């Protein structure tokens, strides 16, 4: 029979606490292979096997170069307004030309109104 006291017992309790906290704080969409609640039950009901299984098969992969981002989100949000849903993005050159023409007309109208108010 295995001796669960001493150093092995302390390591097992530390592993269990780490695995439980890690399962709880991990985002639902990042968990692999099983739903988050099932992983939590597995770790709590089978502490040693469940904790090792979580570390090997359930934990999100970190540092592989594959990042998981939500919709309209990217790794370096330098210009988040470009990722906004419904943003105008011309798919054809003619549409873009029409948009630029309307922008120029609007700018000219604003300049004209500004000169009249002075």
């Amino acid at each position: 029979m295995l001796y669960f006291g001493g150093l092995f017992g302390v390591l097992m309790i530390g592993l269990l606490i780490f695995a439980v906290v890690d399962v709880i704080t991990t985002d639902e969409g990042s968990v692999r292979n099983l739903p988050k609640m099932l992983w939590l039950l597995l770790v709590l009901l089978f502490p040693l096997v469940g904790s090792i299984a979580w570390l090997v098969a359930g934990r999100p992969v970190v540092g592989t170069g594959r990042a998981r981002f939500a919709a309209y989100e990217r790794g370096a949000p330098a210009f988040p307004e470009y990722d906004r849903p419904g943003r105008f993005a011309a798919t054809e050159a003619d549409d873009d030309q029409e948009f630029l023409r309307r922008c120029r007309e609007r700018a000219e109208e604003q300049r004209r109104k500004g000169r009249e108010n002075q």
Side-chain angles (χ1 to χ4, degrees), residues 20-89:
V20 168
V21 169
D22 199 32
V23 169
I24 291 172
T25 58
T26 300
D27 183 41
E28 180 77 36
S30 301
V31 176
R32 297 183 299 149
N33 298 321
L34 293 174
K36 184 176 174 177
M37 286 304 295
L38 201 56
W39 276 116
L40 187 59
L41 286 174
L42 185 70
V43 169
L44 290 174
L45 294 177
F46 306 101
L48 184 60
V49 175
S51 298
I52 293 171
W54 165 252
L55 293 175
V56 173
R59 213 163 178 238
V61 178
V62 179
T64 60
R66 273 186 353 156
R68 296 178 76 174
F69 299 106
Y72 306 109
E73 185 180 67
R74 57 183 168 186
F79 302 102
E81 63 272 13
Y82 293 149
D83 294 333
R84 151 178 68 108
R87 178 185 169 270
F88 173 78

Side-chain angles (χ1 to χ4, degrees), residues 11-24:
L11 290 175
M12 195 170 100
I13 290 174
L15 178 64
L16 172 66
I17 291 172
F18 174 78
V20 168
V21 169
D22 199 32
V23 169
I24 291 172

